[in-house]
């Protein structure tokens, strides 16, 4: 009786090697070209072999780029990035380490992911925040993969990822920060619509102080030395009029009149209302 030995008999412990992984249609057999590339020195011949390899494997790079379509980047730009990753893979591949496809796929994929990480953010975000964003995004997908699962809370995501609640909060904010919104974007469709810029910030009074201070400098320089000293003691050293009067040996009433007159003169000078020739120095009454 003939026995078919092509298949193991029932109960047999014989195991056969797993069938080799199916190669993609865009994975050509270029082992000979890679061996030749490794044996060539820099020059036109090596460049020609390198170009031939890039042309042969370019369809695979385009296939990998297609996995990232509909993520805010044009497919043409993604193909360019994938092609760059392919060239890097060809330059770095060692034929003695195995099949090129197993090395090229993660290299090209990593290049495309790096493109999204470094170039697609409208605003530069620290690498650590980007990583938090990815962890939070994956955790949310895993926690809601079952139908009817509620939206996970910050505490749920923190427990799932091992992150702190503050880190989860930063990652969730980054999820909504991939693109920016113009300050001129309209936030209301009413007749009295307003833009985002109208809701941000407030008037800074410090600018007014700077303008007033610079405007008063010239008028203060024109005051007699004693009046400048009185103003300094009153407004910068916060001395009372009585103390100023005691220091100068004059009456408090005289100090009050000098302060009022000096301030009025500086104010008039600033407003351009001061009468008389300018630049001749102030004429002040003395005690």
């Amino acid at each position: 009786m003939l026995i078919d030995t092509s298949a193991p008999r029932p109960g047999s412990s014989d195991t056969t090697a797993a069938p080799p992984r199916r190669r993609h249609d865009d994975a050509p057999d270029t082992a000979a070209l890679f061996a030749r590339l490794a044996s060539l020195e820099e020059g036109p011949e090596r460049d020609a072999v390198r170009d031939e390899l890039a042309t042969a494997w370019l369809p695979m790079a385009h296939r990998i780029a297609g996995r990232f379509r509909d993520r805010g980047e044009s497919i043409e730009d993604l193909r360019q990035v994938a092609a760059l990753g392919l060239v890097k893979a060809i330059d770095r591949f060692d034929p003695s380490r195995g099949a090129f496809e197993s090395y090229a796929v993660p290299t090209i994929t990593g290049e495309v992911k790096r493109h999204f990480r470094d170039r697609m953010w409208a605003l530069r975000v620290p690498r650590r925040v980007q990583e938090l964003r990815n962890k939070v995004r994956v955790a949310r997908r895993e926690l809601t993969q079952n139908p009817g699962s509620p939206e996970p809370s910050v505490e749920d995501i923190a427990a799932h990822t091992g992150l702190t609640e503050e880190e989860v909060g930063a990652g969730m904010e980054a999820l909504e920060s991939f693109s920016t919104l113009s300050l001129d974007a309209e936030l209301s469709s009413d007749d009295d619509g307003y833009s985002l810029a109208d809701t941000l910030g407030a008037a800074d009074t410090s600018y007014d102080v700077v303008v007033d201070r610079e405007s008063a400098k010239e008028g203060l320089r024109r005051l007699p030395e004693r009046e400048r000293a009185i103003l300094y003691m009153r407004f910068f050293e916060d001395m009372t009029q009585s103390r100023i009067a005691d220091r100068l040996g004059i009456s408090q009433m005289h100090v009050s009149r000098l302060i009022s007159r000096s301030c009025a003169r500086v104010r008039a000078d600033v407003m351009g209302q001061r009468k008389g020739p300018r630049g001749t120095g102030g004429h002040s009454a003395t005690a």
Side-chain angles (χ1 to χ4, degrees):
M1 180 177 63
L2 297 177
I3 298 177
D4 183 7
T5 60
S6 62
R9 287 174 290 181
S12 172
S13 60
D14 180 36
T15 58
T16 58
R21 183 172 61 86
R22 184 183 68 85
R23 293 172 59 85
H24 291 95
D25 295 335
D26 52 19
D29 184 4
T30 54
L33 281 175
F34 273 112
R36 183 182 173 193
L37 182 71
S39 65
L40 293 174
E41 299 292 337
E42 293 292 339
E45 185 178 0
R46 189 179 191 281
D47 292 341
V49 175
R50 182 171 174 261
D51 292 343
E52 186 176 353
L53 285 168
T55 301
W57 286 95
L58 190 60
M60 183 195 69
H62 288 174
R63 171 170 57 83
I64 295 174
R67 299 175 184 172
F68 298 87
R69 65 173 66 246
D70 301 327
R71 296 194 185 184
E73 182 71 302
S74 68
I75 188 62
E76 290 78 10
D77 289 343
L78 291 176
R79 286 180 173 179
Q80 290 290 333
V81 175
L84 176 61
L86 171 63
V87 172
K88 290 182 177 180
I90 292 174
D91 289 339
R92 300 170 183 174
F93 177 62
D94 181 359
S96 64
R97 302 291 294 273
F100 176 69
E101 184 180 7
S102 61
Y103 177 78
V105 170
T107 302
I108 298 172
T109 303
E111 192 70 24
V112 176
K113 289 183 177 180
R114 190 176 301 109
H115 173 76
F116 277 97
R117 185 191 70 203
D118 296 339
R119 302 296 179 88
M120 289 299 295
W121 291 81
L123 182 67
R124 178 61 179 167
V125 177
R127 174 74 176 273
R128 177 177 174 276
V129 176
Q130 295 182 27
E131 293 175 348
L132 290 176
R133 173 186 179 273
N134 291 334
K135 290 181 180 179
V136 169
R137 178 176 55 82
V138 172
R140 289 177 64 178
R141 183 177 67 240
E142 292 175 349
L143 291 172
T144 57
Q145 61 184 355
N146 295 326
S149 299
E151 183 67 20
S153 63
V154 173
E155 294 80 4
D156 295 335
I157 297 176
H160 186 77
T161 59
L163 301 173
T164 66
E165 294 184 10
E166 290 76 12
E167 291 173 331
V168 172
M172 294 183 72
E173 289 181 1
L175 283 173
E176 308 300 330
S177 303
F178 196 70
S179 59
T180 57
L181 182 64
S182 171
L183 291 177
D184 296 326
E186 291 290 337
L187 298 183
S188 174
S189 58
D190 300 335
D191 294 337
D192 57 345
Y194 54 90
S195 67
L196 178 60
D198 297 329
T199 68
L200 302 176
D204 192 341
T205 57
S206 298
Y207 289 113
D208 295 334
V209 173
V210 171
V211 172
D212 293 343
R213 182 177 298 170
E214 292 299 316
S215 301
K217 276 185 177 180
E218 188 61 30
L220 290 170
R221 290 192 185 102
R222 292 194 179 101
L223 293 176
E225 183 178 354
R226 186 174 69 166
E227 293 187 19
R228 291 200 304 268
I230 290 174
L231 293 180
Y232 184 84
M233 287 186 286
R234 179 69 185 93
F235 297 107
F236 288 87
E237 294 186 347
D238 201 25
M239 293 176 60
T240 64
Q241 294 182 12
S242 299
R243 289 185 60 193
I244 296 173
D246 292 341
R247 176 175 292 187
L248 299 179
I250 58 178
S251 67
Q252 178 180 344
M253 183 63 68
H254 196 179
V255 171
S256 178
R257 286 198 301 267
L258 289 175
I259 290 175
S260 299
R261 185 174 58 190
S262 300
C263 290
R265 181 174 297 171
V266 172
R267 184 182 301 107
D269 187 77
V270 170
M271 301 302 294
Q273 298 174 355
R274 185 175 181 182
K275 297 179 181 180
R278 300 174 63 88
T280 60
H283 298 286
S284 75
T286 58

